[in-house]
Amino acid sequence: MSPLLFRSNLAGLLLLLTAFPAAAQETVTVGGEKKRGVGTPTAFRNGDTACYVTLKDDRGATFDELADFDLCAREKSLKGKRLALTYKTARVMAASCQGNPDCKKSETVVLIASAKPAPLNGPALAAPTPARTAQASFCTPTEVIVFSCRTSPIKLVSVCASRDASASKGYLQYRTGKPDSGEPLDLTLPAAQLPPPQAASGESVPFSGGGAAWLRVAAKNNVAFVVYTGIGKWGPRGEIQEKAGVAVERDGKSVANLNCTGKPISLLGPDWFDKAGITAKGQDFDLPD
């Protein structure tokens, strides 16, 4: 082969190799499963246990993933965009339950926990930066932290209210996103700043040996998020134990539960509910097992 022909073929090979960005090959392993680190969503669907997302990788290959329900709520802002994907494991209602709210079976699955824009020219997955001080909530210094806890190292859930929140003024919002990152929030509900009774429902429930409190905020597509706290004789031998977390509901049925990984910040209870005008509005809530 002549040197000129060799150089021509080499140039063509290099052009072919650079047609596909290296980021398209990046994968992560979560829960023993290998997952793509980048994808462009083409379709979203709320399922019984999670948000179902269809995506394409940089080579055009289609793949499907389960995701947090808040990704379905963000369909309009995410669809068609190249995203860096972060995953987590979670306990959800078993597929064999077929959406039956009385079914107690559960299974561990790998979910997309967050999705951030990943420009084709930039790094697909940003290197994690250690936080100097752990972020306690997404509430501002001028707001009240009604509830806040981490459900994973990369997910923080907060309920924030204005200091003047009452039945007729102020506001309450449910916010979730990646803490210690400075990135935009994944979800804010409601998007507008509405007085607490218009933004949420809730109730304090006393019972023998303890009590509980819950606050429900509705999203689109019949999805709702319920933050809760409780204390009761739930130990194996009737010991006092505490519960706190976020339950995800679809069509009024619980489809996932995310436990707080540490002690939450919480004002949930009769005093704050009375001040903010929060009522159950005829609804109820059963604390997850």
Side-chain angles (χ1 to χ4, degrees):
M1 179 181 295
S2 71
L4 181 60
L5 182 58
F6 174 78
R7 285 196 298 271
S8 176
N9 288 341
L10 178 60
L13 178 59
L14 289 175
L15 180 61
L16 178 61
L17 290 175
T18 56
F20 298 100
Q25 304 304 315
E26 293 193 24
T27 59
V28 294
T29 301
V30 181
E33 298 183 31
K34 184 172 287 188
K35 297 291 185 179
R36 291 173 172 86
V38 175
T40 301
T42 59
F44 293 79
R45 180 174 64 85
N46 276 307
D48 289 329
T49 60
C51 171
Y52 293 85
V53 186
T54 300
L55 308 98
K56 286 187 177 182
D57 64 18
D58 288 338
R59 297 181 184 273
T62 299
F63 62 103
D64 296 305
E65 295 291 354
L66 300 178
D68 272 347
F69 279 103
D70 57 2
L71 262 74
C72 271
R74 299 168 57 206
E75 175 180 357
K76 184 177 294 186
S77 63
L78 297 178
K79 190 173 182 179
K81 295 182 179 179
R82 186 174 187 269
L83 305 172
L85 309 174
T86 304
Y87 297 84
K88 69 176 181 180
T89 57
R91 297 289 295 177
V92 301
M93 180 189 295
S96 59
C97 290
Q98 297 183 337
N100 180 2
D102 298 324
C103 179
K104 301 300 182 182
K105 296 179 182 179
S106 64
E107 59 187 357
T108 300
V109 297
V110 177
L111 300 172
I112 297 176
S114 64
K116 305 296 182 183
L120 195 59
N121 297 335
L125 299 175
T129 303
R132 294 182 181 179
T133 302
Q135 186 174 359
S137 79
F138 288 122
C139 305
T140 70
T142 61
E143 295 176 326
V144 174
I145 304 174
V146 180
F147 178 91
S148 189
C149 82
R150 295 192 184 214
T151 57
S152 79
I154 59 171
K155 181 72 74 173
L156 175 65
V157 173
S158 300
V159 176
C160 309
S162 59
R163 293 188 181 276
D164 64 344
S166 69
S168 59
K169 64 181 181 180
Y171 62 87
L172 175 146
Q173 287 183 324
Y174 171 95
R175 302 168 185 168
T176 182
K178 185 176 181 180
D180 309 312
S181 67
E183 297 178 3
L185 294 175
D186 292 339
L187 190 64
T188 299
L189 294 172
Q193 294 184 345
L194 303 177
Q198 298 179 38
S201 58
E203 187 178 27
S204 180
V205 184
F207 49 78
S208 178
W214 57 268
L215 185 80
R216 178 181 283 112
V217 180
K220 296 179 180 179
N221 301 318
N222 296 321
V223 173
F225 299 91
V226 186
V227 297
Y228 64 86
T229 60
I231 184 170
K233 298 178 179 179
W234 296 312
R237 298 181 180 178
E239 303 95 333
I240 296 293
Q241 291 187 347
E242 296 184 21
K243 295 181 179 181
V246 183
V248 183
E249 299 175 332
R250 180 173 179 268
D251 294 327
K253 302 174 183 178
S254 179
V255 295
N257 177 61
L258 305 175
N259 292 320
C260 293
T261 58
K263 190 173 181 64
I265 300 172
S266 177
L267 292 178
L268 300 182
D271 291 343
W272 195 85
F273 286 168
D274 288 345
K275 174 183 180 297
I278 294 291
T279 63
K281 299 180 181 178
Q283 306 169 13
D284 56 16
F285 176 72
D286 294 325
L287 264 67
D289 295 331

